């Protein structure tokens, strides 16, 4: 793990060096964009006469006013843009207004803009919404987090998921990045673009989806509708980013304390008139992957690295049909922090030397080498169809694989475990490797029918299947019977048998079939077969 993290840090610094070379190593005349750009043009009436004293406004994509100018007697105007980007230009004079002209500012000087004023009239409209949306938060609370809210946080898009959730009232985080809302231990439900995500074997060491890929998120608390199921401590409904025209993107390297380096990139765009796409990748390395048990800035065995890749594609078949494909991959490798100055259990050390390794010398407690690797892969395909002006249907198929592997340092862990009973003998002493993985898949259908302006019917179903497995490799000692001593005969050896697992295979699966029954067969036993005996060859 240490060598892996060192290599990862080296790669991250290489990426940072390349970025610095691109920024400062190339002559400015080769690639530098001008700090500002000038937009020129004139304003005219419908009869083509130039208009003086008209106000011309320049606004960005968010509709914020960037700058303005007043036309001359010849109707001419000049606007200076402070940066590159996409802007709109329009003119106003009393009750006359012009069209909005969209301009993309690049290194090339834009063409002159011609704005034509036409008279506007105030028109009173009565808007009747044929679809009255169901409000699932009518009996609870909803907290919305937009892309701008995330960018305004201290670390911006580089924050972790639990940092964003911690900004809502009643939420706290633990050292393992778990979020507790309203004093609940877990019971959170995550949704991406309206599709609920199956549970994972663990979510303590890696984020489900980086906030960098969020367009917005609605966090629902309180009483919720039946469509949200039973995991209702909080529903985190994430709307992911999608491609736009013109495209957008960013690439950067973020760094900070605890040897944290985070290179990342994202890009969203279009291909043709019907296909939109978005891709994002986050890589992070740090020496404080998990909060350590030590105080202050002292960290022992705390290196970690993670990588997240996100892909989304949207295809607009026609005005009534749309397909969305989403792919997500997240991997995290973390060292388990240690605490220095722990006292060795000499009784256990003597047993290891007598039965396993005569030359065994325990490492200092801060050098105990335990690690956890977690990987998650998720995908879904959604078809949305407008049956009519007041009937809509959505069908989603999804699949998720998750795996968490914990690797212990058996001899060194045993050397610091187990107390002594009243006879001076070691108590419970054990260490274990653990490998857990799960496969989940299903299909979900949602149907909405707006009967009239006052009534709406929503219906749907969801079939979900899950297969889980938990494998353990136990390292322990047997205890004596009458003499209350450790058993030093041939059965006393430390067991390294890989067959020592909790077998959930075949007949032992926890089966979440289409009927949602949890099937515990009579065969679902913890398998202690003959190979599981304590085996010692003296």
């Amino acid at each position: 793990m240490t060598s892996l993290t060192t290599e990862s840090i080296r790669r991250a610094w290489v990426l940072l060096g390349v970025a610095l070379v691109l920024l400062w190593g190339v002559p400015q005349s080769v690639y530098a964009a001008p700090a500002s750009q000038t937009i020129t043009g004139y304003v005219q009436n419908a009869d083509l006469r130039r208009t003086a004293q008209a106000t011309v406004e320049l606004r960005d994509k968010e509709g914020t006013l960037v700058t303005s100018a007043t036309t001359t007697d010849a109707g001419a105007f000049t606007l200076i843009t402070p940066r590159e980007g996409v802007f709109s230009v329009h003119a106003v004079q009393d009750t006359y207004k012009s069209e909005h002209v969209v301009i993309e500012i690049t290194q090339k000087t834009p063409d002159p803009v011609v704005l034509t004023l036409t008279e506007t009239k105030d028109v009173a409209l009565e808007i009747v919404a044929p679809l009255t949306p169901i409000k699932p938060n009518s009996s609870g609370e909803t907290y919305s987090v937009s892309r701008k809210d995330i960018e305004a946080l201290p670390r911006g898009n580089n924050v972790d998921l639990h940092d964003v959730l911690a900004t809502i009232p009643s939420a706290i985080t633990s050292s393992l990045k778990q979020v507790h809302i309203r004093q609940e231990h877990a019971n959170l439900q995550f949704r991406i673009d309206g599709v609920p995500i199956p549970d994972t074997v663990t979510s303590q060491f890696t984020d489900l989806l980086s906030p960098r890929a969020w367009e917005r998120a609605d966090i629902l608390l309180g009483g919720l509708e039946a469509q949200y199921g039973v995991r209702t401590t909080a529903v985190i409904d994430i709307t992911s980013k999608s491609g736009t025209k013109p495209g957008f993107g960013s690439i950067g390297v973020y760094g900070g304390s605890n040897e944290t380096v985070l290179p990342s990139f994202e890009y969203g765009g279009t291909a043709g008139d019907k296909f939109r796409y978005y891709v994002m990748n986050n890589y992070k390395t740090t020496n404080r992957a998990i909060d350590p048990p030590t105080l202050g800035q002292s960290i022992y065995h705390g290196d970690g690295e993670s990588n997240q890749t996100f892909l989304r594609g949207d295809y607009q078949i026609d005005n009534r049909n749309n397909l969305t494909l989403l792919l997500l991959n997240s991997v995290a490798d973390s060292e388990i922090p240690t605490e220095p100055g722990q006292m060795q259990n000499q009784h256990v050390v003597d047993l290891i030397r007598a039965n396993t390794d005569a030359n065994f010398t325990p490492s200092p407690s801060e050098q105990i080498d335990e690690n956890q690797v977690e990987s998650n892969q998720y995908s879904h395909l959604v078809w949305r169809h407008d049956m009519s002006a007041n009937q809509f249907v959505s069908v989603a198929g999804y699949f998720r694989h998750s795996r968490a592997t914990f690797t212990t340092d058996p001899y060194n862990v045993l050397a610091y475990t187990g107390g002594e009973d009243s006879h001076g003998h070691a108590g419970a002493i054990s260490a274990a490797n653990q490998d857990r993985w799960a496969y989940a898949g299903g299909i979900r259908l949602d149907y909405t029918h707006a009967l009239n302006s006052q009534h709406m019917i929503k219906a749907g179903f969801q079939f979900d299947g899950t297969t889980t497995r938990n494998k353990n490799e136990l390292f322990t000692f047997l205890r004596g019977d009458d003499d209350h001593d450790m058993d030093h005969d041939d059965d006393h050896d430390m067991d390294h048998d890989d067959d020592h697992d909790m077998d959930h295979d075949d007949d032992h699966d926890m089966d979440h079939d289409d009927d949602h029954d949890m099937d515990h067969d009579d065969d679902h036993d913890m398998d202690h077969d003959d190979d599981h005996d304590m085996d010692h060859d003296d």
Side-chain angles (χ1 to χ4, degrees):
M1 175 65 197
T2 301
S3 61
L4 179 61
T5 304
T6 302
E7 180 63 24
S8 301
I9 295 176
R10 186 180 296 111
R11 291 199 304 267
W13 281 111
V14 169
L15 289 175
L16 177 60
V18 172
L20 293 176
V21 169
L22 292 177
L23 289 175
W24 291 289
V26 180
Q28 294 294 317
S29 60
V30 175
Y31 72 93
S36 62
Q37 192 64 271
T38 301
I39 300 176
T40 60
Y42 60 88
V43 178
Q44 62 183 11
N45 288 317
D47 58 3
L48 304 183
R49 290 182 301 168
R50 302 291 179 90
T51 303
Q53 300 301 313
T55 300
V56 181
E57 297 179 341
L58 179 71
R59 296 181 180 271
D60 60 16
K61 291 191 299 184
E62 308 296 337
T64 304
L65 179 64
V66 176
T67 186
S68 63
T70 303
T71 59
T72 65
D73 293 339
F77 67 87
T78 301
L79 297 172
I80 299 178
T81 63
R83 61 186 183 277
E84 293 184 353
V86 178
F87 302 89
S88 68
V89 182
H90 81 289
V92 179
Q93 187 181 56
D94 298 329
T95 60
Y96 291 82
K97 294 183 181 180
S98 74
E99 72 277 25
H100 289 260
V101 177
V102 178
I103 301 176
E104 183 177 3
I105 302 300
T106 60
Q107 299 180 28
K108 181 180 178 181
T109 302
D111 296 331
V113 178
V114 178
L115 302 175
T116 302
L117 293 174
T118 57
E119 187 176 7
T120 59
K121 297 180 180 180
D122 294 332
V123 178
L125 296 178
E126 180 182 1
I127 300 176
V128 179
L131 299 178
T132 303
I134 293 179
K135 298 181 179 180
N137 59 333
S138 58
S139 59
E141 299 175 280
T142 299
Y143 297 93
S144 297
V145 180
S146 67
R147 173 172 50 85
K148 285 190 174 182
D149 294 332
I150 296 175
E151 293 174 351
L153 292 175
R155 288 184 289 152
N157 286 329
N158 300 294
V159 297
D160 297 325
L161 182 147
H162 66 280
D163 293 325
V164 176
L165 297 183
T167 62
I168 67 174
S170 74
I172 60 172
T173 59
S174 67
S175 61
L176 297 180
K177 300 183 180 180
Q178 291 178 314
V179 178
H180 306 280
I181 298 178
R182 294 184 174 180
Q183 301 182 3
E184 286 281 351
H185 177 69
N187 206 30
L188 304 180
Q189 179 184 155
F190 288 90
R191 292 186 169 207
I192 298 181
D193 301 324
V195 181
I197 301 177
D199 293 336
T200 177
V201 291
T202 178
S203 59
Q204 296 179 354
F205 293 83
T206 182
D207 284 345
L208 180 71
L209 175 62
S210 170
R212 185 182 302 277
W214 296 12
E215 182 64 33
R216 64 175 290 110
D218 294 319
I219 303 168
L220 310 180
L221 306 176
L224 300 174
E225 288 182 333
Q227 63 172 311
Y228 293 103
V230 296
R231 302 181 67 86
T232 54
T233 295
V235 175
I236 297 91
D237 193 356
I238 300 170
T239 301
S240 61
K241 292 181 180 178
S242 183
T244 61
K245 186 177 183 179
F248 66 94
S250 66
I251 181 171
V253 178
Y254 170 86
S257 57
N258 300 313
E259 300 180 10
T260 300
V261 181
L262 197 159
S264 62
F265 77 88
E266 64 173 340
Y267 186 80
T270 60
D273 296 330
K274 294 187 175 183
F275 184 71
R276 295 175 292 133
Y277 62 90
Y278 173 77
V279 57
M280 182 276 299
N281 193 85
N282 259 3
Y283 174 80
K284 180 180 179 181
T285 178
T286 179
N287 70 357
R288 194 185 177 99
I290 304 172
D291 289 343
T294 52
L295 298 176
Q297 296 298 318
S298 58
I299 304 172
Y300 300 91
H301 198 263
D303 293 342
E305 58 180 343
S306 62
N307 190 82
Q308 293 180 329
T309 303
F310 179 84
L311 299 170
R312 172 176 171 171
D314 296 271
Y315 183 72
Q316 189 73 35
I317 301 174
D318 51 41
N319 291 334
R320 291 192 173 188
N321 296 277
N322 180 77
L323 287 176
T324 298
L325 175 65
L326 185 145
L327 302 172
L328 171 64
N329 180 63
S330 178
V331 180
D333 188 354
S334 306
E335 293 180 341
I336 307 302
T338 57
E339 186 173 1
Q342 298 297 298
M343 297 297 295
Q344 299 176 12
N345 189 328
Q346 191 60 43
H347 190 65
V348 175
V349 173
D350 293 340
L351 289 173
I352 295 175
R353 289 172 178 172
N355 297 276
T356 307
D357 185 358
N359 298 319
F360 171 69
T361 300
S363 300
S365 58
E366 64 269 22
Q367 296 181 13
I368 295 177
D369 187 19
E370 292 186 304
N371 303 273
Q372 171 144 331
V373 178
E374 182 182 351
S375 64
N376 288 278
Q377 291 79 38
Y378 172 78
S379 64
H380 73 223
L381 179 64
V382 182
W383 171 52
R384 294 179 176 87
H385 173 64
D386 296 346
M387 302 173 65
S388 64
N390 57 358
Q391 294 187 72
F392 313 93
V393 65
S394 173
V395 181
Y398 55 87
F399 175 80
R400 179 170 188 172
H401 165 260
S402 62
R403 184 171 187 174
T405 303
F406 177 83
T407 305
T408 189
D409 185 2
Y411 290 167
N412 286 317
V413 169
L414 290 173
Y416 292 95
T417 57
E420 293 188 349
D421 57 23
S422 58
H423 299 281
H425 302 142
I429 304 170
S430 65
N433 294 326
Q434 190 174 53
D435 191 8
R436 293 182 290 170
W437 63 94
Y439 298 91
I443 185 172
R444 177 184 176 90
L445 182 144
D446 292 284
Y447 171 76
T448 302
H449 185 191
L451 300 176
N452 50 49
S453 61
Q454 297 180 346
H455 298 89
M456 176 181 289
I457 296 176
K458 293 193 72 174
F461 65 84
Q462 178 175 339
F463 291 123
D464 187 276
T466 301
T467 299
T468 62
R469 188 170 184 180
N470 188 359
K471 183 176 181 180
N472 297 280
E473 182 184 5
L474 185 65
F475 304 87
T476 187
F477 291 100
L478 290 179
R479 298 197 60 174
D481 295 329
D482 298 332
D483 55 359
H484 303 283
D485 201 354
M486 287 292 183
D487 189 354
H488 291 277
D489 61 16
D490 291 341
D491 292 330
H492 172 70
D493 283 350
M494 187 176 294
D495 182 16
H496 298 263
D497 196 338
D498 287 340
D499 292 329
H500 178 58
D501 61 352
M502 183 179 292
D503 189 4
H504 294 272
D505 200 12
D506 297 329
D507 295 334
H508 306 287
D509 289 339
M510 184 176 291
D511 186 12
H512 299 272
D513 56 17
D514 292 346
D515 294 329
H516 299 280
D517 293 330
M518 185 174 291
D519 185 12
H520 295 276
D521 297 334
D522 293 335
D523 297 332
H524 180 63
D525 298 327
M526 184 179 292
D527 187 6
H528 296 276
D529 56 17
D530 293 336
D531 292 333
H532 177 65
D533 295 338
M534 297 292 181
D535 184 14
H536 306 277
D537 296 326
D538 289 340

